Amino acid sequence: MKIVIVGGVAGGMSAATRLRRLIEDAAIIVLERGPHVSFANCGLPYYIGGTIEDQSKLLVQTPEKLHQRFNLDVRTNSEVLAIDRKEKKVRINHQGKDYEETYDRLILSTGARPMRPPIKGIEQAENLFTLRDVPDAAAIVSFIENNDVQKASIIGAGFIGIEMAENLAARGIQVTVIERDRQILPPLDPEMAAPIEAVIKENGVMIRKGKTVTAFEEHGTKLVLDDGSRQAADLVLLSVGVVPESGLAEHAGLELGERKAILVNDQLETSDSAIYAIGDAIAVKQLVSGALTVIPLASPANRQGRMVADRIAGLTRTYKGTLGTSIVKAFDLAAAVTGLNEKQLRHAGTAYQAIHTSPPDHASYYPGSRQMTLKLLFDPENGRLFGAQAVGEKGVDKTIDVLSTAIKAGMTVSDLTELELAYAPPFNSAKAPVNLIGYAAENLLDHAVASIQWNEVDHLVKEGAMLVDVRTENEYTHGHIPQSVNLPLDSLRARLGELPDDRLLIVTCQVGLRGYLAARILTQKGFQVSNLDGGYKLYKTVFPDKVVL
Amino acid sequence: MKIVIVGGVAGGMSAATRLRRLIEDAAIIVLERGPHVSFANCGLPYYIGGTIEDQSKLLVQTPEKLHQRFNLDVRTNSEVLAIDRKEKKVRINHQGKDYEETYDRLILSTGARPMRPPIKGIEQAENLFTLRDVPDAAAIVSFIENNDVQKASIIGAGFIGIEMAENLAARGIQVTVIERDRQILPPLDPEMAAPIEAVIKENGVMIRKGKTVTAFEEHGTKLVLDDGSRQAADLVLLSVGVVPESGLAEHAGLELGERKAILVNDQLETSDSAIYAIGDAIAVKQLVSGALTVIPLASPANRQGRMVADRIAGLTRTYKGTLGTSIVKAFDLAAAVTGLNEKQLRHAGTAYQAIHTSPPDHASYYPGSRQMTLKLLFDPENGRLFGAQAVGEKGVDKTIDVLSTAIKAGMTVSDLTELELAYAPPFNSAKAPVNLIGYAAENLLDHAVASIQWNEVDHLVKEGAMLVDVRTENEYTHGHIPQSVNLPLDSLRARLGELPDDRLLIVTCQVGLRGYLAARILTQKGFQVSNLDGGYKLYKTVFPDKVVL
């Protein structure tokens, strides 16, 4: 058996090493276009920023070590030019010379390349970088070290854009992030991205949302934006997304899908059953929606690589789909997401319910606890989980990992209330964030309470709803939503007579908990009432300029 | 509707507040024997140690605040003396006076009390404490502050014993922990408890295992052990477990089970359907085994309290059982467990397979990563998860929470390989600890590799097996298992001729990964081979005195 693997990073190398463990006598050839295999691509921003000091730490494996340990034939600087499916062979270029290799099975792990939009002047920009591999990172470091880089512009506020903003700022560079969308971090919903935007600004990075770059002037040192303004930049990083690297597959006549991603079946076979494809180059099934999409992430790529090896070795495996769990660090905060977000659900026309809570990461009576913001999306009929997002200083990764596992298991919000998570005061609360949001969601499903979202307040108040802030007088005085009246929760039972029974009451508090208690009292007393989900805190996060201080 | 709740901590108070939210007009009376309700019992050791500086932080709620917010009638220092089931009333003692209250529904949340074995001289011990509530904690602090406490003995090395060891040591006290068992932390298996024992000793706490206290002499300042030795102690903490506080239920003729725990059905009703019981006083179904047992933990108690309120309000709920997830901090380490441990599986005669791994909590190329030890127990036939344990500096809580969720969902080891956990270098590895142990377990299920455990090595070597250490010569020289020979993995393929084909080969490395690679090569070459699960590291953890240094 002779297996040829195109691409020696993440999925490709997972496939290669697993294949050797399963088939000691197979011939396994890994062809990598670049100079390195199995490098830590997710570590590149932190190498540029200096957190990872030594470039060698990024190089997890070398061809020599892989030969020694796994008896792999790893060839770097070896670009596959074409696939001859009939003859089952590939043509390879190495240092200017072409040659051929036959295969019994071919695995395409070609990845995705940074998008490069045809902006005017982009070809003349001499300070423009993208970030995909170690040479890219080394080029950025070298450019910074050899030029007087004072100002950098990052085009695109996705995960890499935000990681690079932090890491360029760590080198003392004045960074501006330009984002076409009206929010940063598109995988998150806007209210969940807002705290990240705030912390980035607090750390001196400028953010310009809703702007696109229309031209590069003066060899890239001046960016022209669509509002006509100009932005000086000694260095420009282009991070506006990636496109599947599927040219090889396309020329070989393999079926491609949307965004030219390679189509595979649930065995990860392409339209040619001798050729598998894995990683960022393929279209995958989104696990919650069932829709085909592109989810370029390291973990699924690794998993797919291993699975293809298992399949080739004759083991029974099925690739069920990808959930798309991801996380980004931004200074002291982390933001994470799993499953579908609200924008995707709305776009797909799926009925959903959203809920936000602000639990502490561990018992608040034990030192060092921090409040996170947690969002859950679920089916309003049966409570099935659609997705979750979290942002905060601590516990974000843990909370999203538990929710990702719950979504994968097909759990409902009621199941969340029954999860038993490890509790001692330094680690969690007796009612964990995941339990609490399960309870809160269950209340909505049971119609124990109705809620409205942060983006519905202004409209409903305009329509005649009365906004009742049930926090203490002191809290209210320190900041509240416009047109809200203050009626503290602990005196609510005694002051019911002050409330109109012919208007919708929107109750609100700091994070939504006291509002819920107020809503329960008012509902049982016959008032028409909705609780403002996420409370004043969430409203203020999204509309810092609207609140009355 | 009039509901009377006996016990105002954890489950009792969860029931009371939830009841108010569901039934605004119910009469809800909470009767608490002690002076406080809703206190943070899990925080008590940290108050004694000084991490939680202010006693008021432990008092999460007061009767006044509960009245104001929830319109609850909370009565402290009110002991329920008897239940009259026929008349549906309870007799209460408050400050020496008895009175009665009727009920429509009664909820027993009486908790569990520290065991007090009838050791000779225990009644004369004036320096002996147990730890259940705030007065207990205050008494310990006061005793330490008013006496010259230099030496403390803790009897019982369970979770509370270990937390108290750390916290008394934090006050500069020389602590000795005396444990009857041959390991500390009985909820863990011995090899998983061993690192905690090591870190405790490193921090100056003495541990005496396999010893019982047979007498207290000199008013408790001298402990006599069963080996005849004597131990001086200015303060003694008795933490040898708890017993359900079920006297009230017993006298009322309610059915009790083993260890006198109150028996309830899956609606948490006792044998009298007007009386519910929750928390540490009841027997629950262990979720994995289905067996009735006692699991005194805060999180299930809270959940049960809420569920009883839901039931009383007419909502449909079923208590499915308890998994028993728990965690303990010990200096810089944490140890956590969920589901069944190996001892319980062996005791129940359940066929199981165990596996150990030592993954980093996050990508090792990103600064600050720490290796944890992770153990998984599963069904050798179908891979269903039975339980998990972890010990380490970082990521232990997260890993066990994900595994607890997976066990609750009825997942198999193959499902673990498909979990998508939030990955960026500061938070995890592309292959998370949970994925990796899933892969390793899947290899065992697929018979891709056979393994043996740390406690089988000596016996098998004696029986004629050859122990092959495949680490580097340098690693081997720095410490190895007795009678092992060194044959580094990277030269294994070239040196197969040196190995006998008529003996069992046990391959071992540092943590088990290279051993697995070696086992795959050897198996495919026709050798009879098993990998030492957990490798040299785990063996050395349990047998520090056996290894050759």
Side-chain angles (χ1 to χ4, degrees):
Chain A
M1 170 91 84
K2 180 174 174 186
I3 301 128
V4 172
I5 299 168
V6 187
V9 190
M13 199 49 71
S14 289
T17 52
R18 175 69 174 169
L19 271 168
R20 172 58 68 228
R21 294 195 293 273
L22 294 174
I23 317 177
E24 175 66 16
D25 297 324
I28 305 170
I29 301 172
V30 179
L31 302 166
E32 167 58 42
R33 185 169 59 183
H36 308 292
V37 288
S38 202
F39 61 87
N41 35 15
C42 300
L44 297 174
Y46 299 96
Y47 168 64
I48 294 168
T51 302
I52 298 170
E53 290 178 18
D54 193 349
Q55 194 188 105
S56 70
K57 289 216 167 187
L58 298 172
L59 304 171
V60 182
Q61 285 286 6
T62 62
E64 295 69 34
K65 284 197 282 179
L66 288 162
H67 175 70
Q68 217 170 21
R69 178 148 303 173
F70 294 99
N71 192 21
L72 297 176
D73 181 353
V74 177
R75 307 178 190 171
T76 53
N77 301 309
S78 297
E79 184 175 10
V80 175
L81 303 171
I83 304 167
D84 182 340
R85 288 167 52 192
K86 211 181 234 167
E87 300 292 325
K88 283 196 174 175
K89 60 187 183 184
V90 291
R91 199 167 77 250
I92 303 150
N93 179 280
H94 178 66
Q95 297 181 336
K97 282 187 181 165
D98 287 9
Y99 69 101
E100 292 183 336
E101 280 290 349
T102 59
Y103 63 81
D104 295 310
R105 292 287 180 278
L106 181 66
I107 302 173
L108 300 178
S109 177
T110 44
R113 63 174 180 278
M115 257 190 261
R116 226 182 135 85
I119 301 168
K120 192 179 154 194
I122 195 168
E123 297 307 327
Q124 287 73 48
E126 290 166 1
N127 60 346
L128 182 76
F129 296 87
T130 54
L131 182 60
R132 182 183 187 181
D133 54 26
V134 177
D136 290 343
I140 292 171
V141 169
S142 161
F143 187 87
I144 292 169
E145 286 173 354
N146 295 316
N147 295 274
D148 182 25
V149 174
Q150 307 269 347
K151 293 181 176 192
S153 283
I154 296 174
I155 306 175
F159 280 28
I160 291 176
I162 295 304
E163 286 177 345
M164 280 300 293
E166 176 177 353
N167 279 291
L168 290 177
R171 297 191 70 120
I173 297 170
Q174 168 63 51
V175 180
T176 301
V177 180
I178 301 159
E179 168 60 46
R180 181 179 58 178
D181 208 339
R182 288 173 61 186
Q183 67 161 91
I184 65 166
L185 294 173
L188 297 170
D189 291 318
E191 82 281 14
M192 301 302 287
I196 300 288
E197 185 178 335
V199 81
I200 288 171
K201 286 179 179 166
E202 275 165 36
N203 281 276
V205 172
M206 307 245 292
I207 298 193
R208 305 192 65 182
K209 294 182 296 183
K211 309 269 183 239
T212 54
V213 175
T214 56
F216 294 98
E217 292 180 345
E218 299 176 25
H219 304 285
T221 57
K222 201 154 275 177
L223 281 58
V224 185
L225 305 195
D226 55 354
D227 62 3
S229 68
R230 277 166 169 74
Q231 175 91 34
D234 303 318
L235 181 152
V236 181
L237 179 84
L238 196 59
S239 56
V240 295
V242 296
V243 281
E245 189 92 81
S246 57
L248 196 58
E250 186 177 21
H251 290 130
L254 299 177
E255 277 179 38
L256 305 186
E258 250 183 282
R259 293 164 67 180
K260 294 206 168 182
I262 304 172
L263 289 181
V264 294
N265 62 15
D266 66 3
Q267 308 294 306
L268 300 173
E269 292 168 4
T270 66
S271 50
D272 179 334
S273 64
I275 305 178
Y276 294 85
I278 56 177
D280 296 357
I282 68 169
V284 292
K285 196 169 80 173
Q286 210 294 335
L287 209 51
V288 178
S289 70
L292 267 194
T293 184
V294 176
I295 303 180
L297 288 171
S299 299
N302 280 309
R303 185 153 52 97
Q304 292 156 13
R306 183 183 173 100
M307 189 189 129
V308 161
D310 286 359
R311 288 289 309 144
I312 291 173
L315 293 165
T316 306
R317 301 278 188 258
T318 303
Y319 192 76
K320 303 193 186 95
T322 303
L323 209 45
T325 310
S326 52
I327 189 166
V328 63
K329 173 185 178 307
F331 299 95
D332 290 339
L333 290 186
V337 55
T338 185
L340 299 177
N341 64 30
E342 190 168 352
K343 290 176 292 189
Q344 290 165 325
L345 288 164
R346 207 183 300 127
H347 185 75
T350 307
Y352 68 89
Q353 173 103 46
I355 187 166
H356 301 77
T357 55
S358 293
D361 72 293
H362 68 256
S364 47
Y365 62 79
Y366 189 91
S369 90
R370 294 285 181 276
Q371 223 175 21
M372 71 180 88
T373 301
L374 181 57
K375 177 178 187 175
L376 192 69
L377 294 152
F378 58 95
D379 189 320
E381 288 304 314
N382 56 26
R384 190 170 73 95
L385 304 177
F386 287 151
Q389 295 164 51
V391 56
E393 273 181 68
K394 293 182 180 177
V396 163
D397 54 337
K398 176 165 79 172
T399 301
I400 288 299
D401 282 358
V402 168
L403 287 167
S404 161
T405 305
I407 294 173
K408 174 83 183 163
M411 284 186 173
T412 66
V413 297
S414 295
D415 293 325
L416 296 186
T417 69
E418 296 181 6
L419 294 181
E420 274 175 59
L421 306 177
Y423 164 55
F427 303 103
N428 213 328
S429 302
K431 291 171 186 163
V434 172
N435 299 140
L436 286 173
I437 205 162
Y439 285 136
E442 211 177 38
N443 285 330
L444 291 167
L445 278 184
D446 289 344
H447 305 290
V449 66
S451 73
I452 67 153
Q453 292 296 314
W454 55 276
N455 52 6
E456 298 175 292
V457 178
D458 297 359
H459 173 70
L460 287 169
V461 168
K462 204 174 283 172
E463 297 256 296
M466 178 174 173
L467 191 55
V468 184
D469 189 327
V470 301
R471 293 176 302 162
T472 62
E473 210 183 301
N474 186 41
E475 287 175 284
Y476 179 82
T477 310
H478 277 82
H480 56 264
I481 301 174
Q483 300 192 52
S484 61
V485 296
N486 186 218
L487 205 172
L489 172 61
D490 289 346
S491 53
L492 183 62
R493 284 187 179 89
R495 292 174 59 185
L496 291 176
E498 299 174 29
L499 293 171
D501 56 8
D502 58 348
R503 288 168 69 186
L504 171 65
L505 303 178
I506 300 171
V507 285
T508 180
C509 62
Q510 186 67 16
V511 298
L513 181 58
R514 280 172 289 173
Y516 160 62
L517 300 179
R520 285 302 303 155
I521 295 171
L522 293 168
T523 302
Q524 293 187 73
K525 291 297 178 188
F527 292 90
Q528 187 198 347
V529 56
S530 270
N531 182 27
L532 174 55
D533 184 46
Y536 171 73
K537 183 167 170 250
L538 189 65
Y539 185 93
K540 188 186 168 205
T541 300
V542 200
F543 303 123
D545 301 330
K546 278 196 186 178
V547 298
V548 182
L549 292 173
Chain B
M1 171 90 84
K2 181 173 171 186
I3 301 127
V4 173
I5 300 169
V6 186
V9 190
M13 200 48 73
S14 289
T17 52
R18 174 69 173 168
L19 271 169
R20 171 59 67 228
R21 294 195 293 273
L22 294 175
I23 318 177
E24 176 64 16
D25 297 324
I28 305 170
I29 301 172
V30 179
L31 303 167
E32 166 58 41
R33 186 169 56 182
H36 308 292
V37 287
S38 202
F39 60 86
N41 37 12
C42 300
L44 299 174
Y46 299 98
Y47 167 65
I48 293 168
T51 303
I52 297 171
E53 290 178 18
D54 194 349
Q55 195 189 103
S56 70
K57 289 215 168 186
L58 298 173
L59 304 172
V60 182
Q61 285 287 5
T62 63
E64 295 69 35
K65 285 197 280 177
L66 288 163
H67 175 70
Q68 216 170 23
R69 178 149 302 172
F70 294 99
N71 191 22
L72 297 177
D73 182 352
V74 177
R75 307 178 191 170
T76 53
N77 301 308
S78 298
E79 185 176 7
V80 176
L81 304 171
I83 304 167
D84 182 341
R85 288 166 52 193
K86 213 182 234 168
E87 300 292 323
K88 283 197 176 176
K89 60 187 183 185
V90 291
R91 199 167 80 249
I92 303 151
N93 179 279
H94 177 65
Q95 297 180 336
K97 283 187 183 163
D98 286 10
Y99 68 101
E100 292 182 337
E101 280 289 349
T102 58
Y103 63 81
D104 296 311
R105 293 285 180 279
L106 181 67
I107 302 173
L108 300 178
S109 178
T110 43
R113 64 174 179 277
M115 257 190 262
R116 223 180 139 85
I119 301 168
K120 193 179 151 192
I122 193 167
E123 297 307 327
Q124 287 73 49
E126 290 164 3
N127 60 345
L128 182 75
F129 296 88
T130 54
L131 182 61
R132 183 183 186 180
D133 53 26
V134 177
D136 290 343
I140 292 171
V141 170
S142 161
F143 187 87
I144 292 170
E145 286 173 354
N146 295 315
N147 295 275
D148 182 25
V149 175
Q150 307 268 348
K151 293 181 176 191
S153 282
I154 296 174
I155 306 175
F159 280 30
I160 292 177
I162 295 306
E163 286 177 346
M164 282 299 295
E166 176 178 353
N167 279 292
L168 290 178
R171 296 191 71 122
I173 297 169
Q174 168 64 51
V175 180
T176 301
V177 180
I178 300 159
E179 167 60 46
R180 180 180 57 181
D181 208 340
R182 287 173 61 184
Q183 68 161 89
I184 65 164
L185 294 173
L188 298 169
D189 290 319
E191 81 282 15
M192 301 302 285
I196 299 287
E197 186 179 335
V199 81
I200 288 172
K201 287 180 178 166
E202 276 165 36
N203 281 276
V205 172
M206 307 246 290
I207 298 192
R208 306 193 63 183
K209 294 182 295 183
K211 308 269 184 241
T212 54
V213 176
T214 55
F216 295 98
E217 293 179 347
E218 299 176 25
H219 304 283
T221 56
K222 200 153 277 176
L223 280 58
V224 185
L225 305 194
D226 56 353
D227 61 2
S229 67
R230 278 166 169 74
Q231 175 91 32
D234 303 316
L235 180 152
V236 181
L237 180 84
L238 195 59
S239 56
V240 293
V242 295
V243 282
E245 189 92 81
S246 58
L248 196 56
E250 187 178 21
H251 290 129
L254 298 175
E255 277 179 38
L256 305 186
E258 250 183 282
R259 292 164 67 181
K260 294 207 169 181
I262 305 173
L263 289 180
V264 294
N265 63 15
D266 65 4
Q267 309 293 306
L268 301 173
E269 292 168 4
T270 64
S271 49
D272 178 336
S273 64
I275 306 178
Y276 294 85
I278 57 177
D280 295 357
I282 68 170
V284 293
K285 197 169 81 173
Q286 210 294 336
L287 208 52
V288 177
S289 70
L292 268 193
T293 182
V294 176
I295 303 180
L297 287 170
S299 299
N302 281 307
R303 186 152 52 95
Q304 292 157 11
R306 183 184 173 99
M307 189 189 129
V308 161
D310 286 0
R311 287 288 310 142
I312 290 174
L315 293 164
T316 307
R317 302 278 189 260
T318 303
Y319 193 76
K320 303 194 186 94
T322 303
L323 208 46
T325 310
S326 53
I327 188 166
V328 63
K329 173 185 178 307
F331 299 96
D332 291 340
L333 290 185
V337 55
T338 185
L340 298 177
N341 64 30
E342 190 168 352
K343 289 176 292 188
Q344 291 166 325
L345 288 163
R346 206 182 303 125
H347 185 75
T350 307
Y352 68 88
Q353 173 102 47
I355 187 167
H356 301 77
T357 56
S358 295
D361 71 294
H362 68 255
S364 48
Y365 60 79
Y366 188 91
S369 89
R370 293 287 181 275
Q371 224 177 20
M372 73 181 87
T373 302
L374 180 58
K375 177 178 188 175
L376 192 68
L377 294 153
F378 57 96
D379 189 319
E381 288 305 313
N382 57 26
R384 190 170 74 96
L385 304 176
F386 287 150
Q389 295 163 52
V391 56
E393 273 182 69
K394 293 181 180 178
V396 163
D397 54 337
K398 176 165 81 171
T399 300
I400 288 299
D401 281 358
V402 168
L403 288 167
S404 161
T405 305
I407 294 173
K408 173 82 183 161
M411 285 185 172
T412 66
V413 298
S414 294
D415 293 324
L416 296 186
T417 69
E418 295 181 5
L419 294 182
E420 275 176 57
L421 305 178
Y423 165 55
F427 303 103
N428 213 328
S429 302
K431 291 171 186 162
V434 172
N435 299 138
L436 287 173
I437 204 162
Y439 285 136
E442 210 176 38
N443 284 330
L444 290 168
L445 278 184
D446 290 343
H447 304 289
V449 66
S451 74
I452 66 152
Q453 292 296 314
W454 55 274
N455 51 6
E456 297 175 292
V457 177
D458 296 358
H459 173 73
L460 287 168
V461 168
K462 203 173 284 173
E463 297 257 295
M466 179 174 174
L467 191 54
V468 184
D469 188 328
V470 301
R471 295 176 301 163
T472 63
E473 210 182 302
N474 187 40
E475 287 174 285
Y476 179 82
T477 309
H478 278 81
H480 56 265
I481 301 173
Q483 300 193 54
S484 60
V485 298
N486 185 218
L487 206 171
L489 172 62
D490 288 347
S491 54
L492 183 62
R493 284 184 180 89
R495 293 174 57 186
L496 291 176
E498 299 174 28
L499 293 171
D501 56 10
D502 58 349
R503 288 169 68 186
L504 170 66
L505 302 178
I506 299 172
V507 285
T508 181
C509 62
Q510 187 65 18
V511 298
L513 181 59
R514 281 173 288 173
Y516 160 61
L517 300 177
R520 285 302 303 155
I521 295 170
L522 292 168
T523 302
Q524 293 187 72
K525 291 297 179 189
F527 291 90
Q528 186 198 349
V529 56
S530 270
N531 183 27
L532 173 55
D533 183 46
Y536 171 72
K537 184 168 168 249
L538 189 65
Y539 185 93
K540 186 185 167 206
T541 300
V542 201
F543 303 122
D545 301 331
K546 278 196 187 177
V547 298
V548 181
L549 293 172

